[in-house]
Amino acid sequence: MKLLTTIFFAFFIMNCSYAQLKKNVFFEQTALVKKFHTIDELENLKKGQLISLYTNRVNEVITVLPYLALTNEAGVKLSDIGIKENSDNLRALNKHHGTNTEMLESSKNMISEFIPYADTEKIIWAILYFEEVIKKVRIGANGNF
């Protein structure tokens, strides 16, 4: 289990680092969940797999929500929404990316420490809840999914 956790954590850090390569982009597509699940699919998974899905959904919420008033789409640059790409704005965005990466690491550590103690049914409920939130965020104010 420790090996699996270590491998997942290493992959997670590489993924976060890659997602922040474009400094003038709010968030990349790699930060987003790629598949949504039904309750039946989730009930067939083991607890470790559920915790991984839970972590991914928490990561998307943490990554996307701060920018929700600006954009709900991945790959959007500052200039795409009329913000100048000057050094102050790029520095502020880069600082947030760094803080966000630290928060994602901290959340991942907390999740890996405590969520295994949760009932499987509650983990499934939380995953479904996060997926509904993510769907609503992706639909956006204009109703585009």
Side-chain angles (χ1 to χ4, degrees), residues 23-24 78 85-95:
K23 301 290 187 206
N24 62 341
L78 294 172
E85 292 184 7
N86 60 31
S87 62
D88 289 339
N89 291 339
L90 291 173
R91 191 173 326 124
L93 186 60
N94 189 40
K95 181 178 178 182

Side-chain angles (χ1 to χ4, degrees), residues 36-37 126-137:
F36 296 104
H37 297 83
I127 291 169
L128 292 171
Y129 180 81
F130 283 135
E131 288 186 355
E132 285 303 313
V133 169
I134 291 167
K135 288 176 189 175
K136 297 224 184 282
V137 166

Side-chain angles (χ1 to χ4, degrees), residues 49-110:
Q49 295 168 309
L50 291 171
I51 292 169
S52 177
L53 291 175
Y54 181 93
T55 303
N56 291 338
R57 275 111 191 105
V58 168
N59 290 344
E60 179 167 340
V61 169
I62 290 172
T63 301
V64 175
L65 280 184
Y67 304 116
L68 194 54
L70 299 169
T71 184
N72 63 339
E73 297 176 19
V76 174
K77 299 177 183 180
L78 294 172
S79 61
D80 293 339
I81 59 170
I83 299 174
K84 291 183 181 180
E85 292 184 7
N86 60 31
S87 62
D88 289 339
N89 291 339
L90 291 173
R91 191 173 326 124
L93 186 60
N94 189 40
K95 181 178 178 182
H96 178 63
H97 285 190
T99 303
N100 192 50
T101 299
E102 291 173 11
M103 188 175 4
L104 291 173
E105 290 174 33
S106 177
S107 295
K108 196 264 182 225
N109 290 336
M110 188 282 305

